Amino acid sequence: MDDGIEHRTVQVNGINMHVAEKGQGPVILFIHGFPELWYSWRHQILALASLGYRAVAPDMRGYGDTDAPISPSTYTCLNLVGDLIALLDAIAADQDKVFVVGHDWGALIAWYLCLFRPDRVKALVNLSVAYNRRNPRRKPIESLRSLYGDDYYMCRFQEPGEVEAEFAAMGTERVMKEFLTYRIPGPLYLPKGKGFGHPLDVPIELPSWLSDEEAKYYTTKFDKSGFTGGMNYYRNIDRNWELMAPWDGAEINVPVKFIVGDVDLAYHMPGVKDYINTGGFKKDVPLLEEAVVMEGIKRNECKENWDCLSLCALYCVDSERVTLVKQCNSRSGFGYLLKASIFPRDKCIRKRGKITELKDIKDDSVPKIAKAFTVLTITVSPSSSSKFIQIVDHEAAAASNTKTTKRRVQRIPLPLDAAGKVVGSSNGFLCFELVREENKFLLWNPLIKECKIVPNVQHSGKMLDLDHFEFIGFGHDGSSDDYKIIRICAVELVPELQTLEEREMDGGIEHRTVLVNGINMHVAEKGQGPVILFIHGFPELWYSWRHQILALASLGYRAVAPDMRGYGDTDSPSSPSTYTCLHVVGDLIALLDAIAADQDKVFVVGHDWGAQIAWYLCLIRPDRVKALVNMSVVYNRRNRKRKPIESLRALYGDDYYMCRFQEPGEVEAEFAAMGTDRVIKEFLTYRIPGPLYLPKGKGFGHPLDVPIELPSWLSDEEVKYYTTKFDKSGFTGGMNYYRNIDRNWELMAVWDGAEIKVPVKFIVGDVDLTYNVPGVKDFINRGGLKEVVPLLEEAVVIEGVGHFINQEKPEEINNHIYNFFNNFL
């Protein structure tokens, strides 16, 4: 058995996982990459086991002898880290923390593991793939296509079945040898139908470290499993980007050693060398103890010590000349312009469409571009009545390194569709290429294939930082044979405060729209001081917190209450899959970054679904929360054995409201037939201390011709506000939260057994349907809630109060919030 290495199958997170292990002592978890297996760690397993460690190396989901679920959506970073947490719980329950080693995709998963569950990792040794913070402005695959083109291997892997068919035609053995022997310190291209670019009848010579027998082991396993499982990791790159929004700006806070080879293609990604060697990496991984670059074969070299294969962008701009631009690192993974030179075409060698080498270039033969480069900043107003481009020229500042008066180009109207949305926009951004030509600008939007010549006019403007520049390219201004440097910029939809006349006064409550996590979020706020973030539930709005906003603002707090994703005046993405707990928490993190960047932590108050989101926020980003007051919905640990909707159907049947909400469009049609005003009144006045049923075609069971009497705490005017907003937005956005209950259950496997580690006060009414769910009363009153929320300071049950407790008893709730949060000032 492989020199004493033992093998077994462990059921984890709904799959059977094959595990290889050897030794006794502290656990080291080894995580492999693509196209690898547990077998990639065979040398480390034997060595570390002999030195007093228990070395554990699974075949990851989709690989080798581990199950390969069919759906690509089950290969997100959350699913994968969930597998590892379940594995550790199953085989190392006696060890709270373990050592971790990762490589390639395994390194990326190890970064995720440390980010999500630092409480489970003693220390990390990661190989090949450095950690870098998420770029909130652009999806990764879109960026990779811009940088490398469609033939780049990660781009080619996106279409299910396409590359698998090509690999099948090549043969598994050939594919494995191509990958394992790849040693070009630059991007890997797989043009359609051309494979790795090598004739199949020419055998591949194996390096000294890889034997035919070892290559055969990989071949045998991948012959059986195929490559689809491993490729599904790549097919979730953009999905991971979406789900990772809650960790924008987060650091890795475990001790780390990083190792990479100097011929590794990962080391030669644009900006990576500088990121590792000049402090960026250490900033994002503050407990990084050492970054080791191991020397390999000698690389091609460029004159002037410019590394053409990693930090330079090389483009052949015409048949005669090549422009070489050196970039430096930025967090987005791209760079900004440092200097440029133009080289004769005959001094360059072209390979796979890229310039890979410069030869016989002497310093004095390289014409330098001496003029300072124009820095152009663009912003876009999101106002539905005024969508325009605003351009600022910072050329003088770039030339002198001093502050100068900024000049604004005239406002250029943007193309709008019938719904008033900007045509060609993607995630709130438009891509423009800009070339400065004397006193006018040439703008070209590649998304809508339109070009404008814009004259320069005088105005003041706002300069964005360099992180807003997504890419650098070259273009022709049409005036001469010379190619001028341009920037392809990201255009940010910059939020603007409404005018005083446009504000709903609401006792001085101010309203604005903020671009967060790819959506426009409406926010109501009032006051100055420590921030309290209020999170509403269903079917509610920011307006549900109107009493708390006014009261807490008058007591020295800044009360902030957004309309959540899918509600009111906040955007409602059409896809139900964009309403997971991670999307929603990602919205809140981005909101805090945008409006309260000066406060590392804020106070949080939640109710109903807002309470559930608040629990998630505290669970995954406790570093952003000072203290929490939560109402109505208790926190309970995930039941790993059964999905929630399945459990609810078993307990209450198909007519239970959460079960009825699962089918898109079904209940919405019934609510439309009832009328929004009626539906709002039914929900807000619901006061039965038991489950809510909505039998098909019967609504809430009350005759529609019998009016609903409103309680004293709810006026017709207040109901009208809700009705007006839900008439506009509909109920689908709110219901999409329910349609992700099972998906949230899958994604939250990472936090199995985790506790809420922030100070908490919990409040519920004794007539609330949530308090009367079987087992909840005992859970609250006999210590269960305190066990999973160890910093719970008080659980308050208010007699005679129903579900919408913050509106029914506003003064009492205001006092609870104020008195509790004052303890943490």
Side-chain angles (χ1 to χ4, degrees):
M1 292 294 291
D2 308 304
D3 295 317
I5 296 175
E6 297 181 352
H7 298 260
R8 59 168 159 160
T9 298
V10 181
Q11 189 168 47
V12 300
N13 200 21
I15 65 170
N16 292 303
M17 175 172 273
H18 168 249
V19 182
E21 63 177 300
K22 183 178 173 64
Q24 298 294 323
V27 167
I28 302 178
L29 175 65
F30 291 93
I31 314 174
H32 69 76
F34 175 88
E36 298 179 286
L37 300 163
W38 76 267
Y39 189 68
S40 309
W41 299 110
R42 58 199 179 279
H43 307 298
Q44 287 72 36
I45 293 172
L46 296 175
L48 275 300
S50 70
L51 295 171
Y53 289 91
R54 180 184 174 195
V56 175
D59 281 338
M60 296 296 289
R61 174 181 292 235
Y63 285 91
D65 295 319
T66 291
D67 288 348
I70 296 174
S71 172
S73 67
T74 61
Y75 289 80
T76 71
C77 56
L78 278 300
N79 295 95
L80 302 171
V81 176
D83 295 346
L84 298 178
I85 293 295
L87 176 63
L88 295 177
D89 288 344
I91 68 170
D94 60 324
Q95 298 189 30
D96 292 336
K97 294 188 176 186
V98 300
F99 296 107
V100 179
V101 181
H103 171 254
D104 186 75
W105 257 103
L108 189 53
I109 295 164
W111 293 127
Y112 288 138
L113 173 59
C114 293
L115 198 61
F116 301 156
R117 296 300 304 271
D119 58 308
R120 302 300 298 268
V121 182
K122 287 181 182 176
L124 167 68
V125 173
N126 243 3
L127 317 179
S128 182
V129 177
Y131 174 70
N132 208 339
R133 289 180 178 178
R134 175 182 181 270
N135 172 14
R137 300 180 182 92
R138 200 177 195 189
K139 291 186 176 182
I141 295 300
E142 178 186 356
S143 298
L144 290 170
R145 287 191 196 281
S146 297
L147 190 60
Y148 296 122
D150 292 337
D151 288 342
Y152 185 60
Y153 77 108
M154 292 191 195
C155 302
R156 286 295 321 281
F157 286 178
Q158 296 305 305
E159 185 61 34
E162 186 175 85
V163 173
E164 289 96 317
E166 295 184 21
F167 284 178
M170 291 174 63
T172 304
E173 181 183 15
R174 180 74 187 202
V175 173
M176 290 307 308
K177 289 181 177 179
E178 289 277 14
F179 275 118
L180 294 177
T181 62
Y182 188 84
R183 203 170 170 82
I184 300 172
L188 169 59
Y189 294 97
L190 295 172
K192 288 186 179 182
K194 297 181 179 179
F196 294 81
H198 305 144
L200 296 182
D201 57 353
V202 177
I204 296 174
E205 183 179 348
L206 296 183
S208 59
W209 55 268
L210 182 66
S211 69
D212 281 310
E213 183 181 0
E214 289 169 324
K216 184 177 180 181
Y217 185 92
Y218 288 107
T219 300
T220 301
K221 294 299 181 182
F222 278 95
D223 266 339
K224 176 184 174 184
S225 68
F227 291 94
T228 297
M231 289 187 184
N232 281 339
Y233 290 51
Y234 294 91
R235 289 164 188 158
N236 276 280
I237 288 176
D238 279 354
R239 182 65 169 164
N240 290 341
W241 176 86
E242 291 182 28
L243 297 174
M244 289 297 295
W247 290 272
D248 261 3
E251 299 171 344
I252 299 292
N253 282 310
V254 302
V256 173
K257 182 171 196 170
F258 180 73
I259 309 171
V260 66
D262 67 350
V263 196
D264 192 326
L265 75 169
Y267 186 57
H268 290 267
M269 293 283 286
V272 169
K273 285 185 183 179
D274 277 356
Y275 175 67
I276 292 173
N277 299 320
T278 59
F281 194 18
K282 177 68 174 177
K283 184 176 181 181
D284 291 340
V285 186
L287 300 183
L288 177 71
E289 297 194 6
E290 189 179 10
V292 179
V293 180
M294 301 180 67
E295 292 186 2
I297 60 172
K298 186 176 181 180
R299 303 186 303 281
N300 292 330
E301 295 180 351
C302 300
K303 302 300 177 182
E304 296 186 295
N305 295 318
W306 286 19
D307 187 347
C308 303
L309 296 172
S310 61
L311 298 182
C312 301
L314 293 168
Y315 295 81
C316 185
V317 296
D318 60 21
S319 60
E320 300 299 326
R321 294 179 301 176
V322 172
T323 301
L324 171 65
V325 174
K326 185 172 183 180
Q327 296 172 293
C328 70
N329 176 65
S330 74
R331 288 182 182 175
S332 67
F334 297 100
Y336 50 86
L337 189 64
L338 291 182
K339 58 181 177 178
S341 293
I342 298 176
F343 297 96
R345 175 68 184 90
D346 60 4
K347 301 297 184 182
C348 301
I349 298 173
R350 181 175 293 279
K351 183 177 182 181
R352 288 183 177 169
K354 300 290 178 180
I355 307 301
T356 59
E357 185 180 4
L358 302 176
K359 59 181 183 177
D360 301 327
I361 301 294
K362 296 181 180 178
D363 244 8
D364 55 6
S365 68
V366 179
K368 297 289 191 276
I369 300 176
K371 182 181 177 181
F373 304 112
T374 300
V375 178
L376 298 170
T377 299
I378 327 173
T379 59
V380 177
S381 166
S383 169
S384 60
S385 61
S386 176
K387 291 186 183 290
F388 59 85
I389 307 171
Q390 163 191 314
I391 307 178
V392 183
D393 175 16
H394 303 287
E395 180 175 19
S400 63
N401 258 342
T402 61
K403 294 183 178 179
T404 62
T405 302
K406 306 179 184 75
R407 294 175 296 172
R408 180 188 296 175
V409 175
Q410 68 181 31
R411 293 181 173 184
I412 310 301
L414 292 173
L416 308 179
D417 61 21
K421 300 289 186 182
V422 179
V423 176
S425 63
S426 174
N427 296 316
F429 296 96
L430 288 170
C431 289
F432 284 83
E433 296 182 2
L434 287 86
V435 179
R436 185 136 193 284
E437 184 186 89
E438 296 180 352
N439 291 321
K440 57 187 177 181
F441 294 82
L442 172 68
L443 282 72
W444 177 63
N445 183 343
L447 293 172
I448 60 174
K449 310 298 183 186
E450 288 188 5
C451 186
K452 290 179 182 288
I453 299 291
V454 185
N456 188 18
V457 296
Q458 301 290 325
H459 281 296
S460 62
K462 177 184 177 183
M463 185 174 179
L464 301 179
D465 61 46
L466 286 172
D467 274 351
H468 287 75
F469 293 100
E470 294 289 336
F471 188 61
I472 297 169
F474 304 92
H476 194 278
D477 65 6
S479 63
S480 68
D481 293 334
D482 294 329
Y483 280 77
K484 295 189 176 181
I485 294 170
I486 62 173
R487 294 178 179 274
I488 303 175
C489 303
V491 182
E492 183 173 12
L493 300 182
V494 178
E496 293 185 329
L497 277 172
Q498 295 172 309
T499 65
L500 184 62
E501 293 76 15
E502 293 172 322
R503 296 177 188 169
E504 297 176 40
M505 294 306 294
D506 302 312
I509 296 173
E510 297 183 347
H511 299 261
R512 59 167 159 166
T513 299
V514 182
L515 179 65
V516 300
N517 197 23
I519 64 171
N520 293 301
M521 176 171 272
H522 167 248
V523 182
E525 63 176 300
K526 183 178 172 62
Q528 298 294 322
V531 167
I532 302 177
L533 174 66
F534 291 93
I535 314 175
H536 71 76
F538 175 87
E540 298 179 283
L541 300 163
W542 75 267
Y543 190 67
S544 309
W545 299 111
R546 58 198 179 279
H547 307 299
Q548 287 71 42
I549 293 173
L550 295 174
L552 275 299
S554 71
L555 294 170
Y557 288 91
R558 181 184 174 195
V560 175
D563 281 338
M564 299 295 285
R565 173 181 291 239
Y567 287 91
D569 294 319
T570 290
D571 286 350
S572 299
S574 57
S575 173
S577 67
T578 59
Y579 289 79
T580 72
C581 57
L582 297 179
H583 287 82
V584 178
V585 173
D587 296 344
L588 298 178
I589 293 295
L591 175 64
L592 295 177
D593 288 343
I595 69 171
D598 60 326
Q599 299 190 31
D600 293 335
K601 293 187 175 186
V602 301
F603 296 110
V604 178
V605 180
H607 171 255
D608 185 76
W609 256 105
Q612 186 65 60
I613 298 302
W615 292 127
Y616 287 137
L617 173 60
C618 293
L619 192 64
I620 64 182
R621 290 303 303 272
D623 57 307
R624 300 302 298 269
V625 182
K626 286 182 183 176
L628 167 68
V629 172
N630 239 6
M631 288 172 258
S632 186
V633 177
V634 296
Y635 173 69
N636 212 338
R637 286 178 176 165
R638 175 180 181 271
N639 174 11
R640 67 176 59 174
K641 296 179 181 178
R642 200 176 196 185
K643 290 185 177 181
I645 296 300
E646 180 185 354
S647 298
L648 291 170
R649 288 191 195 281
L651 188 61
Y652 296 120
D654 292 336
D655 289 341
Y656 185 60
Y657 78 106
M658 292 192 193
C659 301
R660 286 295 321 282
F661 286 178
Q662 295 306 304
E663 185 60 36
E666 186 175 84
V667 174
E668 290 96 317
E670 295 183 22
F671 284 178
M674 292 175 63
T676 305
D677 178 78
R678 181 75 185 202
V679 173
I680 291 295
K681 288 179 178 178
E682 289 279 13
F683 274 117
L684 293 181
T685 62
Y686 188 84
R687 205 171 169 79
I688 300 171
L692 170 58
Y693 293 101
L694 296 172
K696 288 187 179 182
K698 297 181 180 179
F700 293 82
H702 305 143
L704 296 182
D705 57 353
V706 177
I708 295 174
E709 184 178 350
L710 297 182
S712 60
W713 55 267
L714 185 65
S715 69
D716 282 309
E717 184 181 1
E718 290 170 321
V719 170
K720 185 178 180 180
Y721 187 93
Y722 286 107
T723 301
T724 301
K725 294 301 181 181
F726 278 96
D727 267 340
K728 176 185 174 184
S729 68
F731 291 95
T732 297
M735 289 187 185
N736 281 339
Y737 288 64
Y738 294 91
R739 289 164 187 158
N740 275 280
I741 288 175
D742 279 354
R743 182 60 174 153
N744 290 342
W745 176 86
E746 292 180 20
L747 296 173
M748 293 303 292
V750 175
W751 290 274
D752 258 2
E755 300 170 344
I756 300 292
K757 292 290 182 70
V758 302
V760 173
K761 174 179 260 191
F762 180 76
I763 311 171
V764 67
D766 70 347
V767 193
D768 192 328
L769 74 169
T770 64
Y771 184 61
N772 290 278
V773 170
V776 169
K777 288 183 183 179
D778 281 351
F779 180 70
I780 293 173
N781 299 321
R782 296 188 177 183
L785 184 57
K786 176 70 173 178
E787 183 180 341
V788 295
V789 187
L791 299 183
L792 177 71
E793 299 203 3
E794 189 179 9
V796 179
V797 181
I798 303 178
E799 292 185 5
V801 180
H803 183 65
F804 296 95
I805 189 170
N806 52 311
Q807 298 179 74
E808 185 173 348
K809 294 289 183 181
E811 290 187 10
E812 193 169 344
I813 296 302
N814 295 344
N815 288 332
H816 277 298
I817 295 171
Y818 177 73
N819 292 332
F820 185 61
F821 286 164
N822 266 2
N823 296 325
F824 304 97
L825 292 179

